[in-house]
Amino acid sequence: MEYLAQDSKSGRYRYRRRVPGELIKLIGKREFSISLRTTDQRVAMERYERVHKDVEADIAAARAIDPADANYRATLQTLRKHDLAIPTQKSLSPVTFEADPEKFREFTNAALSAPDHEFEPIVEAKYDAYRLRH
């Protein structure tokens, strides 16, 4: 079981697998880490199969998406996470200080406080709205 790990302190089993590098932006995380909620190896093996199947399906679904569409979806997801776009929003106009100083500050603050992998999508969406047109 390649992705089965046991916590040295609690003894609980986890499914741990890195997200392929090209899918990190789309999936929104670097690793799948899912508790199997047991210290019993036999039970962990049974649960592993179901979790592994679900993770494989998530990876396959992400790979099936056109890279341009993946970038679009990942950017919208990042903007929604930082409350810069509402869930139903499909496009965004460039944000300028002159037109909307408060929104401009929100984008700037979100970009500065975001993890490194979210900085670029926020800044690009702020200045280059064509990325969000679909």
Side-chain angles (χ1 to χ4, degrees), residues 46-81:
E46 291 170 5
R47 293 178 181 171
Y48 174 94
E49 294 301 326
R50 179 187 50 79
V51 171
H52 181 65
K53 183 179 176 183
D54 291 346
V55 169
E56 285 290 318
D58 288 347
I59 290 172
R63 283 201 166 120
I65 296 172
D66 176 341
D69 192 37
N71 194 39
Y72 164 80
R73 288 181 186 197
T75 299
L76 273 180
Q77 180 180 7
T78 299
L79 294 177
R80 289 178 184 135
K81 176 182 172 185

Side-chain angles (χ1 to χ4, degrees), residues 81-127:
K81 176 182 172 185
H82 292 278
D83 296 323
L84 300 171
I86 60 174
T88 57
Q89 193 167 349
K90 300 291 185 204
S91 64
L92 183 70
S93 299
V95 180
T96 64
F97 185 79
E98 295 78 21
D100 191 345
E102 185 56 36
K103 193 70 162 174
F104 187 88
R105 279 189 211 98
E106 288 175 17
F107 267 79
T108 302
N109 291 337
L112 293 174
S113 65
D116 290 345
H117 69 278
E118 293 177 349
F119 178 83
E120 185 178 326
I122 293 171
V123 172
E124 287 182 3
K126 177 180 177 179
Y127 292 109

Side-chain angles (χ1 to χ4, degrees), residues 1-7 12-20 29-38 44-59:
M1 303 272 164
E2 184 176 359
Y3 307 112
L4 187 63
Q6 187 176 25
D7 185 90
R12 287 187 173 224
Y13 286 91
R14 302 189 72 71
Y15 179 93
R16 291 191 65 201
R17 180 175 182 181
R18 288 182 185 207
V19 172
K29 56 187 168 186
R30 295 185 180 281
E31 178 183 65
F32 289 99
S33 181
I34 303 162
S35 174
L36 299 177
R37 299 181 182 180
T38 187
M45 299 267 220
E46 291 170 5
R47 293 178 181 171
Y48 174 94
E49 294 301 326
R50 179 187 50 79
V51 171
H52 181 65
K53 183 179 176 183
D54 291 346
V55 169
E56 285 290 318
D58 288 347
I59 290 172

